Amino acid sequence: MTAAATSSSSRAFVSLIGAGPGDPGLLTLRGAEALRRADVVLFDYLANPDLLRFCPQAETIYVGKKGFSEYISQEQINALIVEKAREGGGKRVARLKGGDVFVFGRGGEEAEACVQAGIPFEIVPGVTSAIAAPAYAGIPVTHREAARSFAVLTGNTQEGGARYETLAGVDTLVLLMGVRNLDQISADLIAAGRDPQTPAATVQWGTTPQQRVASGTLATIAQRVRAAGLEAPAVTVVGEVARLRETLRWFDVAPAGPLAGRTVAVTRTREGASALSELLRARGASVLEVPLIRFAATENAAALQTRLRDLSGVTWLLLTSNQAVTALFTHLEHLGLDARHLAGVQVAAVGPSTARSLAEHGLRADFVPSTPGARHLGAQLPARPGEVALHLTSQVAEAELQQTLEARGIRYERAELYRTEPARLSTPELERLRGADVVTLASGSAARHLAALAGTNFTVAAMGPQTADAARAAGFTRVTVAREASLEALADAAAQALREEAEASES
């Protein structure tokens, strides 16, 4: 639902988005679209940071709260939402919250803050962990033969304890935020009339590769949780349906992939989601996508636009990234032009991904090298000596393409189409990156950016010998090279790197 604005006519708008329980695939389509449109994103501890890939251009602010140690108070979050929405004449703010906005998420308070400030807002419901975590553990909260009702309770005594005697007729109880108080909660439920032998289960990090489950009875579940070392975030289910776990468990008994239980950081020097991430998740990995650069407008737009208006004398346009394609058509549109303006030149793409980006704009690449990469583009481009090749790129384009073309007698020109700048990661994002088991590098620039951003104390998998050489030159010492320049081979190299590391530690 969307609340009407009471005062402001600016573009200020707030989306309160349920991020789901942890599995990034459970974000709703509506939530993903709201993130794409956001100028600012405030995300919390339980919102999977992988979801930030939907909003690469947005300012991101961590406002996480973990347990009883608050990084920022709720009142401060409310004020920040309003402040950011009003900033600069009005911005679109996305508040990304773990689970569902209104299920113990304090989303109601944030919505009230918007109303009081006269800022229009929307609620984007999310999949609550109260249902999803048990489901991934094989526990249905209702079942025709075992449970016709369920209640969701907070186990956080700071939020106000439940009156358990009023729940006598409820078949299934689902407790959120209760792992620290599980001894007391169990005792209170038994005192209120629950049978101590009622089946119970606690699910930690439900729906993620880190999911762990402890099972027992109401009388024993707290001890079982302690013995298993389970901590927050966790969901506890009390009721006959907990017996069904042994029959219906599916997520944690699926065939383990070679990267099961391991965290792989996927570095990327372009914006957008990574196909590599999906390959790694299919092999059991928990994936952390790490943007190493961000894109900014060229600092000499006038010179660029003058060059784009007049392409006479140019035989080839060279595009060596998806961002180059995006930026090119943005500038053409600004000039009132479209793909027809490029009819007099031939267009080369550095690889199939860039060629696909061109096709999305209605333009078929005239040439794509047999192997992706600037080296191969320079060596294989079907240009004759004396012809002009205009490279539309960023301010930090590598010199190899220019050197290869000029060695063939081809006249090389470069125009700055956009700028690349180092990414800025928050402290929690840097901590997650440094905790990764292996990091993938798909280019030499990725190696250099990673070294500058977070150092070189990583086990890395490199896409081919050229990237591996760049990684070693940047200071990385634990480098495994993919057998070929493909995403599948890079995923294999990540698994191989971990095997080699395990073998080295055993020897």
Side-chain angles (χ1 to χ4, degrees), residues 81-364:
I81 290 172
V82 172
E83 174 190 335
K84 286 295 180 179
R86 288 174 168 168
E87 193 173 76
K91 291 184 176 180
R92 296 189 70 92
V93 174
R95 171 69 172 106
L96 191 61
K97 305 171 68 65
D100 178 74
V101 176
F102 282 171
V103 179
F104 297 118
R106 303 187 75 169
E109 298 170 47
E110 294 170 357
E112 287 175 325
C114 293
V115 171
Q116 291 167 7
I119 296 172
F121 68 94
E122 67 177 352
I123 306 299
V124 182
V127 179
T128 174
S129 61
I131 296 173
Y136 271 57
I139 303 172
V141 295
T142 64
H143 189 281
R144 189 174 65 174
E145 297 177 359
R148 293 174 177 264
S149 60
F150 72 97
V152 181
L153 315 173
T154 174
N156 187 342
T157 55
Q158 288 188 352
E159 302 285 345
R163 295 177 58 190
Y164 298 125
E165 65 275 8
T166 66
L167 301 170
V170 179
D171 297 316
T172 304
L173 302 181
V174 182
L175 298 159
L176 306 185
M177 302 174 289
V179 69
R180 294 187 181 186
N181 305 315
L182 204 48
D183 275 308
Q184 186 61 53
I185 293 170
S186 298
D188 290 345
L189 284 170
I190 291 170
R194 290 272 165 175
D195 185 343
Q197 299 307 308
T198 303
T202 296
V203 187
Q204 180 188 30
W205 284 116
T207 79
T208 75
Q210 291 78 37
Q211 176 175 301
R212 298 174 64 204
V213 182
S215 298
T217 66
L218 185 55
T220 66
I221 189 62
Q223 187 277 328
R224 297 283 179 87
V225 165
R226 280 194 301 274
L230 270 56
E231 298 177 345
V235 173
T236 296
V237 182
V238 178
E240 290 299 319
V241 289
R243 294 187 193 277
L244 294 170
R245 167 167 164 75
E246 293 309 313
T247 303
L248 302 181
R249 59 186 298 187
W250 61 277
F251 181 67
D252 49 9
V253 296
L259 293 168
R262 311 305 291 269
T263 298
V264 181
V266 175
T267 60
R268 47 186 174 86
T269 52
R270 63 178 180 83
E271 296 175 343
S274 170
L276 175 61
S277 296
E278 298 308 315
L279 284 173
L280 292 166
R281 290 189 183 102
R283 300 177 188 207
S286 175
V287 177
L288 172 64
E289 288 204 0
V290 184
L292 297 175
I293 63 172
R294 64 189 186 94
F295 300 123
T298 176
E299 293 183 350
N300 197 352
L304 170 67
Q305 291 172 5
T306 297
R307 192 67 183 97
L308 288 178
R309 281 193 188 97
D310 183 9
L311 294 173
S312 58
V314 176
T315 306
W316 285 94
L317 280 185
L318 310 181
L319 297 168
T320 51
S321 71
N322 293 330
Q323 177 61 20
V325 176
T326 300
L328 170 61
F329 280 90
T330 297
H331 284 289
L332 288 176
E333 182 178 358
H334 181 77
L335 293 170
L337 304 171
D338 56 27
R340 290 172 294 181
H341 182 66
L342 306 179
V345 298
Q346 298 182 84
V347 180
V350 73
S353 178
T354 304
R356 284 193 295 271
S357 294
L358 279 168
E360 290 171 1
H361 290 275
L363 196 65
R364 178 173 293 179

Side-chain angles (χ1 to χ4, degrees), residues 399-418:
E400 187 173 28
L401 177 58
Q402 177 179 356
Q403 294 167 353
T404 305
L405 290 172
E406 289 180 343
R408 297 175 52 198
I410 298 165
R411 294 172 55 192
Y412 174 91
E413 292 185 18
R414 177 188 297 175
E416 183 184 293
L417 195 59
Y418 60 96

